[in-house]
Every structure is written in structure tokens, then in C-alpha cells.
Amino acid sequence: MKSEKKAPKSSSDSPSFVHTTSEHPFAAAAQWNLEQDYEQRPRALKKRKAEKESTRLPIKTPNGLIKQALIPEQENGGDGEDAGDEDGSEWVGVAEELAEEGEIHQKISERQRIVDAKEELANIATNLNEDPEENAGLLRRLREISEDGNITIQKLGLVTQLTVYKDIIPGYRIRPLTDEEQKAKVTREVKKLRGFEQSLVSNYQAYVETLAKVSRASRVDHSLNTVAIGKIAVDCACGLIAAVPHFNFRSQLLKIIVERVSVKTVDEMFVKCRTTLEELFRSDDDGTASFEAVQLLAKMLKAKDFNVNESVLNTFLSLRLLSELDVKASQEIVENPRKRKKKDRAFRTKKARKFEKERQVSEKEMDEADATVSHEEREERQSETLKLVFGTYFRILKERPPGLMGATLEGLAKYAHLINLDFFGDLLVALKELITEAFEDEEIEIENASKRNATREALLCVITAFALLSGQGEGMSIDLTFFTTHLYATLLPLSLSADLELSTKSLRLPDPNDFTPPSKRVNVSTEIEMLIRALNTIFFQQNANKSNTPIRIAAFTKRLMTTSLNMPEKSTLAILGMLNKMARRHQRRLQGLFSTEDRVGDGTYKMDIDEPEISNPYAATIWETVLLRKHYSPKIAEAAKELPGVFLNRS
């Protein structure tokens, strides 16, 4: 018996599938409803484990979407059919994908925030520059943008505020209103101006406090972002001091700058702040800003025990102390125009002309009174500044910190004509002690060679001592023989110095055997320049003829001729020029040095003695010019040929 074939039975037992056993099994296939049978058939999906109610909280993705957390297979209690998913790899992959999407979205949003901040800052700056009084409220919004958590936006905000304040700050200092002024009735324009000024001062104060806070934080926290934004803050403070030194909160800005120069290490911010102070000292007309800066510097130096870089002390050399201002004529306005023709003048009555003349006279008197008051105030402030400067110099001379003596002596030499006569004695004693300390023992000089330059300091001491005498001490009987003798003793060793024509700005290769760090000195004068300066103060000042004896002049002349043989070309030319000048002024006293037949003095010349008065110079003869005539430099040879004729009055 044949087995009966049956058609596939639908899972839903649908009546649409009909067949008979007597006919061919596929005879009624045309009547099958295959689409409905496929729809009602169960889907062939991956076998999933029995769903279990999730006990986890929903999660929020970085892009803001809220999703239900999936349950890993191990917690779902499934059977071992999907053993490959027991480690939760499906959930890990989803989490990583969501994290990557969140990072991309976050980067895009941060970049977009920076772009939006740039556009907003540009719009605010434009509106403030066009009409500051109408848009004064935007200053607060500008400050809020600068307080953003993004470092880039903070930098942009600080720099934008600097540019805006430099443009809108008026040319006068804004003072607070008194109670009477606040109660008084004013016009709408005055009220609007006062509102703008108060808004400007309050927001500017907040900006300056932000700069100080950021700068102070960068000195403590040395992370990359903090240091970068601290540098921006210091640049902004320097820019404000250079652009608007007259405006409010100048002391707070100067504190930021002085704090940056109170360290020994020299970096970019240190140089920026030091340069800003020097420019402030040079351009300060009334002396108020300079007085505040010097006051802060003096306090800082005292608190640091003078353990700072010497370039900080050298900023005092840029002060305009008790010097008249250079008033130049205007290039745009004609100061003495010719009288206009009568037909070009405006008609005025006799009474109007009389009133105009009286008004001009009164204005002239008021201007003269204001000028007198301002001049007296300026002198008073400069006197106070001078006291602070000299107080700092004298304290350094007393304590003698390493590295600051050169800058101190340079400052004393420059301002010697302003020193009070009562301090002359103490100052000369201090200078003598410095020279003695530097040269009394050869071992001390070698030991301190890396820290101090004894030759340079000694030359500065000599220059300072004679500058005191040439300034206010001309009528005083001060014996400076000690300094003259020391300079005479220094000539021979100085002529053999390798750094005679070199300064700190000269390019040179470092010594491979010297492992000490190079000292960056501020005094850029070379040793030969300082020597010529000292010789000028000794022999060519107003009262030089009274203090210099013929023996001293002859001794210096002979030794200078000897040292010229050992010096480089430029130094030799400078010494020959000095000797030419001495020959023209002291011709009668020096003629005997060129006489080869008759000897003026008896005995022998003692060239090894470092005291000019007992070296017996008139027993010597100047023969160095014979060698200098054969010098490789044509200029030196020509100068050596002309020198005897000047001494013997043959020119």
C-alpha cells in the first residue's frame, strides 16, 4: 500500500491550503495562499534567551540620548547555547560605539563653541569701538566670556579686553563721585557720561583683578595651560601700562610686573616686564608713575635681600630725574604765522576786541600758574624718587650682595651730581673699601672671578669718585689721590686684558675649560671706554689743573705710551687720541719726555712702581712712537708720526 503524501500543514491551520488524497499531491498547488502562509509562519531569528526584567537604571549617552542599559548574558541566566556571548562582548561593543560617538560630538561642540565665542567677541569689540557710551553694558558680557572654562576662549577674552580698553579708555583719570555730585541734578548727557565712566571703572577693575589672579596662579602651578594663560595675562598688563599709564588701578598693574622681575631666572616674561618698566621711566612726564614703580621695586629688592638679577637694578638708569623735558616745535601748526590781511579778518566791535584781549591775558596767567604748580609737583615727586634710588644704592654698598655692584656703581656715577653733600664722605669711604677688597689679595680675586669683575668695578669706583667731585664737590677740598694711584696701577694689567674691547653684547666662543655659567652683565661699556672716561674725569675736568701735579701728568703719559704697545688697534687709537689731547693741554710740562739729548730728571725711571709721584717719570724718554710708526695699521702709524710734533709744538 502506497504511503499517502500530504501537503505541508500550515502552522495556523489555515483553510486556504486544500488537497485530496486521490489526486496528485501538487494538483491543487495553484490554490495555495503562499504569501499568507509565509506571514503567519514564525520568524527565523537568532535564538535569544528568556527575557528578564532589567534591574539597571537608564543611561544617558554623551550626545544627550537616554537608553536602557542591556543585561549581559551572564546575568541573564541563559543556557549554554550562546556560550560565545557569556563575556558580555555585545554590550562592550555597544558601549564603545556610544563612547566614540560622544567624543566626536564633544570635539565638534568644543570647536563650535570657540568659533561662536570668536564671533561674539568680534561683534562686542566692534560695537564698543563704534559707540562705547551706548554699549557700555557689553563690557560685562565681555568679562563673562573671559571666565569660560575653555582655555582658548579665556585667552581670546583677555586679549580682546586689552584691545577694547586701550581704545575706549579716556585720556584722564576717573575719580569717584562725591555725595553732593550724586545728589545734584545734571543733564541727560552728563548722566549718560557718568554712567559710562562708572561702568568702565568697575569692569576695568574686575579685568585687572583677573590678570593679577591668573598671573599669580601661573607662578604656583606650572602646568602647560596655566603657564600659557599666565603669559597672556602678563602681556596684557604690560600693554595696559604702556598704553594707558595715567588711568585707574595703575598700582595693581605695576605689582604684576614687579612680581615677574623679582626672580633670578631670565625668561621671556621677565624681559617683557623689564622692558616695560624702562619704557615707562623714559616716557613718564610728571613722574607719578615712575615714583610708584620705584617704590614697588625698592620694597621688592629689600624683601628679596637683593637676590635678583642685576638688570632689574639697571632699570633705574632710565629714570628722568630732575631733567628738563625736550620741547620740540610742532610740525603741523605754524607757531608764528604772518598777520592776516585786514579784509580776511572777522569784524569785531571795539568792546569785543577789548573783551577778547582781557580773556587772552587771563588765560595766559592761569596757564602760567598751572605750569608752576605742575613743575613744583614734578620736582617733589622726582625728589622722593631720588631718595628711594639712593637709599637702595647705599644699602647695596653696605650689604654688598654678589652680582649687583656693577649696576650700583654705574647708577651712582650717573646720578653723582644729584647726591647730597652730606653723603660724600661715607660714599667715598665705601668706594675705597670696594677697591681694597677687590685687589688686596690675588686669591680672593681668582676665587670670585666668576661672580665679580674686579677690574670693571674698580674702574666704576674711580669714575664715580671723580663724578662726585665734578658735580657738586667742585668747591670742596677732597683728596682723590687714592683713586688716581689705583688707576695708574691698573693701566699695565688692563692693557693685557683679553676682554679690553669686548662687552656683554659681543659675540664670542665660550671657553671649553671654563665650566662656570656665564654672567650676563648689564653694563655694556667696554673696559677701554671706561678707562678713557676715567682719564677724562681726572685730567680734563674744570678743576683738574689744581689737583694734578706735573709729575703725575708725566707719569701717566709715559705709562699710557707703554700700554699702547700691548693693546688692540682700536684701543691703541683711543689712547693715542688721549695723549694728543694731553699734549695740547700740558705741552710745556711734557716736552722734556721727547728730548733725547738733555735729560730733565736725574736718576732712572722706575716703571715697576705703581705710584706716579715716586716713579721719576722725567728721567724717562718716550721711544714707543718709533715702534708705533711701524705698526701694521696705517692709522696708528700716521697718528704715531704726528704725536711728537704735537708735544714739541711743531704742528
Side-chain angles (χ1 to χ4, degrees):
M1 184 177 179
K2 293 183 180 180
S3 59
E4 187 178 356
K5 294 183 179 180
K6 297 182 179 180
K9 188 177 180 179
S10 175
S11 59
S12 59
D13 297 328
S14 174
S16 61
F17 186 76
V18 181
H19 70 280
T20 57
T21 58
S22 60
E23 296 178 352
H24 191 273
F26 298 101
Q31 301 178 3
W32 296 351
N33 192 348
L34 300 179
E35 289 80 1
Q36 188 170 356
D37 179 64
Y38 179 80
E39 283 189 14
Q40 295 178 355
R41 188 180 304 173
R43 298 292 186 266
L45 301 176
K46 291 183 179 180
K47 187 175 182 180
R48 303 182 62 179
K49 299 182 180 180
E51 295 183 0
K52 182 180 179 182
E53 184 178 357
S54 176
T55 58
R56 295 188 175 185
L57 295 174
I59 62 174
K60 186 175 181 180
T61 60
N63 56 2
L65 300 178
I66 299 177
K67 293 185 178 182
Q68 182 67 37
L70 301 179
I71 303 176
E73 297 297 336
Q74 293 181 352
E75 299 181 5
N76 214 9
D79 51 9
E81 294 179 3
D82 293 332
D85 295 333
E86 290 181 357
D87 57 350
S89 59
E90 182 179 357
W91 160 243
V92 173
V94 174
E96 292 179 353
E97 184 179 357
L98 293 176
E100 292 177 358
E101 293 179 359
E103 291 179 0
I104 296 174
H105 179 76
Q106 186 176 5
K107 290 181 180 179
I108 296 175
S109 61
E110 288 293 331
R111 189 181 299 110
Q112 187 63 35
R113 284 181 61 229
I114 295 174
V115 174
D116 296 341
K118 287 182 179 180
E119 295 179 356
E120 187 174 2
L121 289 172
N123 294 331
I124 292 175
T126 303
N127 294 330
L128 285 172
N129 288 332
E130 291 178 354
D131 195 349
E133 296 182 5
E134 288 290 341
N135 302 297
L138 294 177
L139 292 173
R140 182 178 180 85
R141 176 55 186 164
L142 193 61
R143 179 160 51 89
E144 292 176 354
I145 296 176
S146 303
E147 297 174 355
D148 192 276
N150 189 287
I151 299 297
T152 305
I153 298 179
Q154 289 183 22
K155 294 179 182 179
L156 294 173
L158 293 178
V159 176
T160 305
Q161 288 186 84
L162 169 65
T163 307
V164 169
Y165 283 124
K166 287 170 62 176
D167 293 337
I168 68 175
I169 284 178
Y172 54 89
R173 188 181 183 92
I174 300 176
R175 61 174 179 83
L177 298 176
T178 61
D179 296 336
E180 296 180 357
E181 291 175 343
Q182 292 178 356
K183 294 178 182 179
K185 293 183 179 180
V186 295
T187 60
R188 183 180 300 176
E189 290 77 9
V190 175
K191 188 176 181 180
K192 180 180 178 181
L193 179 61
R194 287 181 177 179
F196 165 71
E197 290 178 349
Q198 297 303 319
S199 176
L200 175 62
V201 169
S202 60
N203 287 282
Y204 184 73
Q205 181 182 9
Y207 176 57
V208 173
E209 291 176 353
T210 302
L211 294 180
K213 181 180 178 181
V214 172
S215 176
R216 197 174 298 111
S218 64
R219 296 184 60 192
V220 178
D221 186 7
H222 298 286
S223 60
L224 187 60
N225 291 334
T226 307
V227 172
I229 196 171
K231 181 180 177 182
I232 296 294
V234 173
D235 289 340
C236 292
C238 294
L240 290 174
I241 283 294
V244 287
H246 63 277
F247 199 61
N248 304 47
F249 311 107
R250 178 178 54 207
S251 300
Q252 287 81 346
L253 294 173
L254 288 174
K255 286 181 180 178
I256 299 175
I257 297 175
V258 172
E259 287 178 356
R260 284 292 176 177
V261 298
S262 62
V263 295
K264 291 283 288 185
T265 56
V266 178
D267 53 3
E268 185 179 355
M269 288 184 288
F270 179 93
V271 175
K272 177 72 174 179
C273 295
R274 187 194 66 199
T275 307
T276 302
L277 288 176
E278 293 176 351
E279 292 296 331
L280 176 65
F281 292 156
R282 294 192 190 100
S283 60
D284 189 15
D285 294 337
D286 58 356
T288 306
S290 299
F291 173 71
E292 293 181 4
V294 171
Q295 195 173 20
L296 291 174
L297 285 172
K299 290 182 180 179
M300 182 270 294
L301 291 171
K302 187 176 180 180
K304 289 282 186 178
D305 292 332
F306 304 99
N307 188 22
V308 296
N309 191 277
E310 66 175 353
S311 60
V312 179
L313 193 64
N314 206 64
T315 56
F316 291 161
L317 300 179
S318 302
L319 289 169
R320 302 170 64 177
L321 294 176
L322 300 179
S323 59
E324 294 295 331
L325 300 178
D326 294 330
V327 181
K328 297 182 179 180
S330 175
Q331 298 180 357
E332 300 177 357
I333 302 175
V334 180
E335 297 179 354
N336 295 321
R338 292 180 296 177
K339 286 187 176 182
R340 291 176 296 177
K341 295 181 180 181
K342 189 174 183 179
K343 62 179 181 179
D344 297 333
R345 302 177 191 173
F347 174 76
R348 290 182 300 176
T349 62
K350 185 176 181 180
K351 186 177 181 180
R353 290 197 300 269
K354 182 179 179 181
F355 177 77
E356 180 67 19
K357 187 175 181 180
E358 292 177 354
R359 186 185 64 82
Q360 291 179 358
V361 172
S362 61
E363 287 183 355
K364 184 178 180 181
E365 293 177 354
M366 292 178 63
D367 293 341
E368 290 177 355
D370 293 340
T372 303
V373 172
S374 63
H375 183 70
E376 292 176 355
E377 292 178 353
R378 186 182 63 179
E379 281 192 351
E380 183 179 358
R381 284 190 293 267
Q382 288 182 342
S383 299
E384 296 296 328
T385 305
L386 191 63
K387 290 180 182 178
L388 293 173
V389 172
F390 282 138
T392 304
Y393 284 158
F394 292 155
R395 194 173 290 110
I396 292 175
L397 288 178
K398 182 179 179 181
E399 299 183 6
R400 297 177 186 174
L404 296 182
M405 299 307 300
T408 302
L409 294 172
E410 184 74 15
L412 288 173
K414 181 175 181 179
Y415 300 119
H417 62 286
L418 303 175
I419 299 177
N420 195 334
L421 297 177
D422 298 335
F423 297 103
F424 273 25
D426 297 336
L427 184 56
L428 291 176
V429 170
L431 295 177
K432 290 180 181 179
E433 292 178 356
L434 284 174
I435 294 178
T436 305
E437 180 185 352
F439 289 95
E440 65 181 357
D441 195 352
E442 199 171 311
E443 296 180 358
I444 296 178
E445 183 181 355
I446 295 175
E447 181 181 357
N448 297 336
S450 60
K451 298 181 180 179
R452 298 177 58 184
N453 190 330
T455 303
R456 180 180 293 274
E457 291 183 8
L459 289 174
L460 283 172
C461 289
V462 174
I463 293 172
T464 305
F466 282 94
L468 290 173
L469 184 61
S470 62
Q472 306 178 63
E474 294 179 358
M476 301 177 62
S477 58
I478 301 177
D479 185 15
L480 300 180
T481 305
F482 175 83
F483 300 98
T484 306
T485 303
H486 173 74
L487 183 63
Y488 180 81
T490 311
L491 289 177
L492 285 176
L494 189 63
S495 65
L496 302 175
S497 174
D499 297 335
L500 185 63
E501 296 182 355
L502 299 178
S503 65
T504 54
K505 293 186 177 181
S506 302
L507 298 178
R508 70 182 80 182
L509 295 175
D511 187 359
N513 298 323
D514 186 10
F515 299 99
T516 58
S519 59
K520 297 181 180 180
R521 306 194 63 83
V522 179
N523 187 5
V524 296
S525 299
T526 61
E527 294 178 356
I528 186 62
E529 292 174 352
M530 299 174 68
L531 175 61
I532 297 299
R533 183 179 173 186
L535 292 173
N536 280 322
T537 56
I538 293 175
F539 296 104
F540 300 104
Q541 60 185 7
Q542 294 181 359
N543 56 348
N545 293 329
K546 300 179 182 179
S547 58
N548 293 323
T549 61
I551 296 179
R552 178 183 297 178
I553 297 173
F556 267 92
T557 302
K558 174 59 179 176
R559 178 155 288 195
L560 286 173
M561 288 298 304
T562 304
T563 56
S564 64
L565 297 175
N566 307 324
M567 293 182 177
E569 179 182 355
K570 294 181 180 179
S571 300
T572 303
L573 285 173
I575 293 298
L576 291 178
M578 176 62 62
L579 291 172
N580 194 329
K581 190 176 179 181
M582 291 181 66
R584 295 181 183 278
R585 183 163 185 174
H586 307 283
Q587 182 181 8
R588 295 181 180 180
R589 300 178 181 180
L590 301 176
Q591 284 181 353
L593 297 179
F594 283 88
S595 177
T596 57
E597 298 178 357
D598 300 331
R599 304 183 64 178
V600 179
D602 298 331
T604 58
Y605 170 60
K606 302 176 183 179
M607 63 174 301
D608 56 335
I609 294 180
D610 292 334
E611 294 185 14
E613 281 75 12
I614 62 176
S615 63
N616 196 14
Y618 284 112
T621 302
I622 294 181
W623 47 265
E624 290 83 1
T625 54
V626 178
L627 296 179
L628 292 176
R629 290 176 184 177
K630 300 179 180 180
H631 199 275
Y632 67 89
S633 174
K635 295 181 180 180
I636 295 179
E638 184 178 356
K641 292 178 182 179
E642 296 177 356
L643 192 59
V646 178
F647 275 97
L648 299 176
N649 196 14
R650 295 175 183 173
S651 56

